[in-house]
DNA sequence: ATACAGAGTATTGTATACAATCTTAGTCGT
DNA sequence: ACGACTAAGATTGTATACAATACTCTGTAT
């Protein structure tokens, strides 16, 4: 069971990271021939890779006209954030009743690690990069709802990460974010689902609010 | 712009309805050759059709092993209902603030139609079939959130309709459901987002509660 | 009788070739 | 100068052929 991975899957995941990293820009075209030239193989696997990306909402395909990297308007981005806000709050509520004591212990340990990393003031970027995601990911895991997990991690997060430069709020408030994380975990440990949901909602709300103010500015211009 | 629809799309939508109607049963295999024999054409479009179905979560594909119609456990179904409950409640909350007065008027008209149809006691099945869906669809539309609409109508509803025999609750309570619909619309018309969300949540909750009791029974057996 | 191994078949993954559609550049007319 | 039409080129949709993998059935050994 070494490399049973299909070529289409490999190309798909490579393209996905390239898109998320911005190496391929929104609106840019993905021609099948160009992918053949770049990754080798034939058109069939490339086509399949593109379709997989379409399923992840990373590209838009128009019959006979080709595929383009998705290019979201601010309004579409607001829609996504709105849904994410709701689903992740829900996940937090469920996690408060469904996480095992051990999982909660682990989560507390993770936060302590983050705290140390911040105090050392050198893992700041670490905290930003994977730490924040890690925390949210564990909450989602804790919801014990696989469909929810699939929707949040599979569909929404790819796009959110792609446009993460919008979430400039989080950049210089790691301590504040950590505090909020801690209070969320406290609520979960207390099995207080309502409070946990509320705190998570507030925690994510800042990004959404920012986005909405951007939207408002944009409307002034038109 | 007559029949610019691609063969893969045609096969995909035909298969989708066949799956939702139960003509192709959960767990059944979808061989590419069989599809060629049934729908004509060659393997390439059939493959693409299957991939599209996978994107809709109607089939599961395993590399080198083929595709099967998705077969959900009760637990997976619970997950889906849980997410649907949350998202549709959210849609209702948003609709209360975002629907235009005209749209609300239309919605009230729709409910009056349903009422007549029920009193006549002949369109009972009509109410069940498209009427119920129509109501929920309009609320979702009213949320003005296209991503939310896509998730609910595109991904979740296909599967929910596929397993609708589970929602036996709704069968003999059209009057009750209509009442609930009316109160929801009243809340929307009053622009009371919180109440509208709460009422929708309760309205859908019965199905979820049923499912959970089924789950509980199942656990007794194991 | 059951479990395991292996060959053969069937099915999927990939490559290439052809047909249909769109895009683009250029020309013509107003 | 600008817009509509036309034709060449490029790209996608479809068909067919080959390669790689998985499934199945048979036979043997325990």
């Amino acid at each position: 069971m070494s490399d049973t991975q299909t070529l289409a899957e490999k190309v798909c995941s490579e393209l996905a990271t390239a898109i998320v990293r911005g190496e391929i820009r929104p609106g840019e075209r993905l021609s099948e021939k160009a992918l053949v030239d770049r990754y080798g193989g034939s058109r069939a696997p490339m086509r399949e890779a593109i379709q997989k990306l379409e399923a992840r909402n990373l590209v838009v395909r128009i019959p006979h006209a080709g595929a383009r990297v998705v290019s979201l308007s601010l309004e579409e981005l607001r829609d996504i954030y709105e849904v994410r806000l709701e689903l992740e709050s829900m996940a937090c509520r469920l996690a408060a009743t469904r996480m095992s004591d051990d999982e909660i212990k682990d989560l507390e340990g993770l936060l302590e690690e983050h705290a140390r990393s911040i105090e050392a003031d050198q893992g700041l970027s670490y905290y930003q990069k994977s730490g924040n995601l890690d925390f949210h990911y564990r909450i989602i895991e804790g919801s014990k709802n696989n469909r929810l997990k699939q929707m949040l991690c599979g569909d929404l997060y790819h796009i959110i990460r792609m446009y993460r430069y919008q979430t400039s709020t989080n950049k210089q408030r790691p301590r504040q974010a950590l505090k909020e994380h801690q209070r969320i975990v406290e609520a979960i440990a207390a099995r207080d689902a309502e409070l946990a949901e509320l705190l998570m909602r507030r925690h994510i709300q800042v990004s959404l609010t920012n986005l909405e103010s951007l939207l408002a500015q944009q409307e002034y211009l038109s």
Side-chain angles (χ1 to χ4, degrees), chain A:
Chain A
M1 56 157 284
S2 56
D3 190 13
T4 179
Q5 194 182 23
T6 200
L7 176 57
E9 287 173 332
K10 261 174 57 180
V11 173
C12 171
S13 57
E14 288 212 29
L15 278 176
T17 65
I19 291 174
V20 169
R21 286 182 186 169
E23 292 163 22
I24 310 178
R25 294 197 300 185
E28 195 168 327
R29 186 161 176 175
L30 288 182
S31 125
E32 296 172 4
K33 184 178 174 301
L35 293 183
V36 169
D37 294 343
R38 178 166 176 181
Y39 293 100
S42 87
R43 271 183 56 212
M46 303 304 133
R47 246 180 112 70
E48 188 158 338
I50 291 178
Q51 274 193 274
K52 284 180 186 299
L53 292 174
E54 189 189 22
R56 291 198 207 176
N57 290 307
L58 283 178
V59 314
V60 176
R61 239 163 53 110
I62 297 174
H64 300 108
R68 293 183 175 282
V69 175
V70 69
S71 172
L72 296 177
S73 66
L74 271 179
E75 194 169 322
E76 290 170 303
L77 200 55
R78 182 208 63 172
D79 288 355
I80 290 173
Y81 259 92
E82 224 169 45
V83 173
R84 179 211 167 189
L85 171 63
E86 193 75 18
L87 289 183
E88 217 168 315
S89 305
M90 170 194 181
C92 200
R93 184 184 71 231
L94 295 177
T97 62
R98 292 183 187 168
M99 277 180 93
S100 74
D101 292 343
D102 285 351
E103 285 173 316
I104 295 176
K105 278 267 184 297
D106 280 359
L107 191 52
E108 288 167 344
L110 181 71
L111 287 193
E112 285 171 19
E113 211 177 287
H114 288 174
R116 279 195 297 277
S117 154
I118 287 179
E119 287 316 315
D121 213 342
Q122 56 190 1
L124 198 143
S125 70
Y126 157 79
Y127 177 75
Q128 270 316 114
K129 275 186 181 169
S130 53
N132 192 36
L133 280 180
D134 245 29
F135 173 76
H136 288 272
Y137 183 77
R138 294 221 191 175
I139 302 284
I140 293 166
E141 278 271 317
S143 76
K144 314 288 187 190
N145 185 320
N146 281 322
R147 176 71 51 159
L148 178 57
K149 181 183 164 192
Q150 173 192 322
M151 284 181 145
L152 275 171
C153 299
D155 296 341
L156 294 179
Y157 266 0
H158 292 299
I159 298 180
I160 288 177
R161 284 174 59 196
M162 178 174 161
Y163 280 86
R164 64 163 162 251
Y165 54 78
Q166 303 275 8
T167 67
S168 49
T169 348
N170 286 13
K171 270 179 187 164
Q172 51 241 68
R173 54 167 216 136
R175 282 191 178 77
Q176 176 63 22
L178 178 62
K179 265 189 201 166
E180 292 173 13
H181 287 182
Q182 286 168 330
R183 295 184 65 186
I184 289 172
V185 173
E186 283 171 22
I188 291 176
R191 303 299 186 182
D192 188 338
E194 259 187 87
L195 181 60
E197 175 175 6
L198 177 70
L199 292 176
M200 178 63 88
R201 186 168 243 115
R202 283 191 191 165
H203 177 61
I204 302 179
Q205 185 97 43
V206 275
S207 309
L208 179 55
T209 306
N210 263 31
L211 213 57
E212 305 226 291
S213 72
L214 277 179
L215 254 180
Q217 281 179 25
Q218 182 184 253
E219 272 168 16
Y220 273 127
L221 299 179
S222 62

mmCIF file of all heavy atoms in Angstrom, chain A residues 63-80:
data_model
loop_
_atom_site.group_PDB
_atom_site.id
_atom_site.type_symbol
_atom_site.label_atom_id
_atom_site.label_comp_id
_atom_site.label_asym_id
_atom_site.label_seq_id
_atom_site.Cartn_x
_atom_site.Cartn_y
_atom_site.Cartn_z
ATOM 1 N N PRO A 63 -19.296 25.074 -18.794
ATOM 2 C CA PRO A 63 -19.251 24.107 -19.888
ATOM 3 C C PRO A 63 -18.682 24.713 -21.165
ATOM 4 O O PRO A 63 -19.073 25.807 -21.572
ATOM 5 C CB PRO A 63 -20.725 23.732 -20.080
ATOM 6 C CG PRO A 63 -21.338 23.937 -18.741
ATOM 7 C CD PRO A 63 -20.611 25.114 -18.152
ATOM 8 N N HIS A 64 -17.761 24.037 -21.742
ATOM 9 C CA HIS A 64 -17.117 24.436 -23.001
ATOM 10 C C HIS A 64 -16.246 25.683 -22.877
ATOM 11 O O HIS A 64 -15.639 26.094 -23.856
ATOM 12 C CB HIS A 64 -18.153 24.683 -24.110
ATOM 13 C CG HIS A 64 -18.979 23.492 -24.433
ATOM 14 N ND1 HIS A 64 -20.290 23.392 -24.083
ATOM 15 C CD2 HIS A 64 -18.663 22.330 -25.040
ATOM 16 C CE1 HIS A 64 -20.765 22.224 -24.493
ATOM 17 N NE2 HIS A 64 -19.795 21.555 -25.060
ATOM 18 N N ALA A 65 -16.201 26.247 -21.724
ATOM 19 C CA ALA A 65 -15.455 27.505 -21.585
ATOM 20 C C ALA A 65 -14.294 27.388 -20.616
ATOM 21 O O ALA A 65 -13.510 28.317 -20.483
ATOM 22 C CB ALA A 65 -16.389 28.623 -21.149
ATOM 23 N N GLY A 66 -14.185 26.277 -19.919
ATOM 24 C CA GLY A 66 -13.027 26.094 -19.064
ATOM 25 C C GLY A 66 -13.269 26.403 -17.599
ATOM 26 O O GLY A 66 -14.376 26.738 -17.192
ATOM 27 N N ALA A 67 -12.207 26.308 -16.817
ATOM 28 C CA ALA A 67 -12.287 26.478 -15.369
ATOM 29 C C ALA A 67 -11.455 27.669 -14.935
ATOM 30 O O ALA A 67 -10.391 27.929 -15.496
ATOM 31 C CB ALA A 67 -11.793 25.219 -14.666
ATOM 32 N N ARG A 68 -11.959 28.389 -13.962
ATOM 33 C CA ARG A 68 -11.223 29.514 -13.406
ATOM 34 C C ARG A 68 -11.176 29.391 -11.888
ATOM 35 O O ARG A 68 -12.105 28.884 -11.276
ATOM 36 C CB ARG A 68 -11.907 30.845 -13.764
ATOM 37 C CG ARG A 68 -11.860 31.139 -15.237
ATOM 38 C CD ARG A 68 -12.479 32.483 -15.548
ATOM 39 N NE ARG A 68 -12.328 32.798 -16.960
ATOM 40 C CZ ARG A 68 -11.209 33.238 -17.512
ATOM 41 N NH1 ARG A 68 -10.144 33.426 -16.758
ATOM 42 N NH2 ARG A 68 -11.140 33.506 -18.793
ATOM 43 N N VAL A 69 -10.093 29.876 -11.304
ATOM 44 C CA VAL A 69 -10.022 29.918 -9.847
ATOM 45 C C VAL A 69 -11.120 30.848 -9.347
ATOM 46 O O VAL A 69 -11.333 31.921 -9.913
ATOM 47 C CB VAL A 69 -8.646 30.426 -9.383
ATOM 48 C CG1 VAL A 69 -8.622 30.585 -7.869
ATOM 49 C CG2 VAL A 69 -7.556 29.480 -9.842
ATOM 50 N N VAL A 70 -11.797 30.400 -8.324
ATOM 51 C CA VAL A 70 -12.936 31.156 -7.830
ATOM 52 C C VAL A 70 -12.496 32.550 -7.389
ATOM 53 O O VAL A 70 -11.424 32.735 -6.825
ATOM 54 C CB VAL A 70 -13.620 30.420 -6.664
ATOM 55 C CG1 VAL A 70 -12.742 30.415 -5.438
ATOM 56 C CG2 VAL A 70 -14.953 31.053 -6.352
ATOM 57 N N SER A 71 -13.303 33.517 -7.704
ATOM 58 C CA SER A 71 -13.010 34.897 -7.349
ATOM 59 C C SER A 71 -14.238 35.459 -6.647
ATOM 60 O O SER A 71 -15.266 35.695 -7.263
ATOM 61 C CB SER A 71 -12.696 35.696 -8.613
ATOM 62 O OG SER A 71 -12.585 37.057 -8.313
ATOM 63 N N LEU A 72 -14.107 35.624 -5.348
ATOM 64 C CA LEU A 72 -15.278 35.967 -4.547
ATOM 65 C C LEU A 72 -15.421 37.472 -4.385
ATOM 66 O O LEU A 72 -14.449 38.187 -4.172
ATOM 67 C CB LEU A 72 -15.163 35.325 -3.163
ATOM 68 C CG LEU A 72 -15.172 33.804 -3.139
ATOM 69 C CD1 LEU A 72 -14.987 33.304 -1.722
ATOM 70 C CD2 LEU A 72 -16.462 33.278 -3.729
ATOM 71 N N SER A 73 -16.643 37.928 -4.477
ATOM 72 C CA SER A 73 -16.943 39.300 -4.117
ATOM 73 C C SER A 73 -16.974 39.397 -2.600
ATOM 74 O O SER A 73 -17.042 38.398 -1.886
ATOM 75 C CB SER A 73 -18.296 39.707 -4.692
ATOM 76 O OG SER A 73 -19.320 38.960 -4.069
ATOM 77 N N LEU A 74 -16.900 40.608 -2.088
ATOM 78 C CA LEU A 74 -16.980 40.787 -0.641
ATOM 79 C C LEU A 74 -18.282 40.219 -0.101
ATOM 80 O O LEU A 74 -18.319 39.632 0.978
ATOM 81 C CB LEU A 74 -16.878 42.283 -0.303
ATOM 82 C CG LEU A 74 -15.466 42.815 -0.097
ATOM 83 C CD1 LEU A 74 -15.495 44.297 0.209
ATOM 84 C CD2 LEU A 74 -14.785 42.066 1.046
ATOM 85 N N GLU A 75 -19.326 40.365 -0.873
ATOM 86 C CA GLU A 75 -20.622 39.868 -0.412
ATOM 87 C C GLU A 75 -20.608 38.350 -0.277
ATOM 88 O O GLU A 75 -21.102 37.789 0.702
ATOM 89 C CB GLU A 75 -21.708 40.308 -1.391
ATOM 90 C CG GLU A 75 -23.102 40.137 -0.829
ATOM 91 C CD GLU A 75 -24.138 40.825 -1.696
ATOM 92 O OE1 GLU A 75 -23.837 41.935 -2.211
ATOM 93 O OE2 GLU A 75 -25.219 40.256 -1.880
ATOM 94 N N GLU A 76 -20.008 37.680 -1.274
ATOM 95 C CA GLU A 76 -19.936 36.222 -1.189
ATOM 96 C C GLU A 76 -19.084 35.799 0.005
ATOM 97 O O GLU A 76 -19.373 34.809 0.677
ATOM 98 C CB GLU A 76 -19.365 35.662 -2.488
ATOM 99 C CG GLU A 76 -20.322 35.811 -3.659
ATOM 100 C CD GLU A 76 -19.667 35.469 -4.992
ATOM 101 O OE1 GLU A 76 -18.632 36.092 -5.334
ATOM 102 O OE2 GLU A 76 -20.189 34.603 -5.690
ATOM 103 N N LEU A 77 -18.028 36.584 0.256
ATOM 104 C CA LEU A 77 -17.181 36.269 1.394
ATOM 105 C C LEU A 77 -17.957 36.456 2.702
ATOM 106 O O LEU A 77 -17.842 35.656 3.636
ATOM 107 C CB LEU A 77 -15.946 37.177 1.372
ATOM 108 C CG LEU A 77 -14.745 36.709 2.167
ATOM 109 C CD1 LEU A 77 -14.338 35.310 1.744
ATOM 110 C CD2 LEU A 77 -13.587 37.668 2.002
ATOM 111 N N ARG A 78 -18.771 37.481 2.750
ATOM 112 C CA ARG A 78 -19.616 37.686 3.928
ATOM 113 C C ARG A 78 -20.531 36.483 4.123
ATOM 114 O O ARG A 78 -20.682 35.979 5.235
ATOM 115 C CB ARG A 78 -20.480 38.938 3.754
ATOM 116 C CG ARG A 78 -21.344 39.228 4.969
ATOM 117 C CD ARG A 78 -22.618 39.962 4.586
ATOM 118 N NE ARG A 78 -23.471 39.142 3.712
ATOM 119 C CZ ARG A 78 -24.692 39.461 3.355
ATOM 120 N NH1 ARG A 78 -25.223 40.590 3.751
ATOM 121 N NH2 ARG A 78 -25.387 38.663 2.567
ATOM 122 N N ASP A 79 -21.116 36.002 3.045
ATOM 123 C CA ASP A 79 -21.995 34.838 3.146
ATOM 124 C C ASP A 79 -21.257 33.668 3.785
ATOM 125 O O ASP A 79 -21.785 32.971 4.655
ATOM 126 C CB ASP A 79 -22.497 34.440 1.757
ATOM 127 C CG ASP A 79 -23.516 35.426 1.213
ATOM 128 O OD1 ASP A 79 -23.898 36.351 1.962
ATOM 129 O OD2 ASP A 79 -23.929 35.278 0.044
ATOM 130 N N ILE A 80 -20.050 33.445 3.334
ATOM 131 C CA ILE A 80 -19.282 32.317 3.846
ATOM 132 C C ILE A 80 -18.975 32.494 5.330
ATOM 133 O O ILE A 80 -19.137 31.579 6.137
ATOM 134 C CB ILE A 80 -17.979 32.154 3.036
ATOM 135 C CG1 ILE A 80 -18.313 31.670 1.628
ATOM 136 C CG2 ILE A 80 -17.027 31.198 3.726
ATOM 137 C CD1 ILE A 80 -17.130 31.635 0.701
#
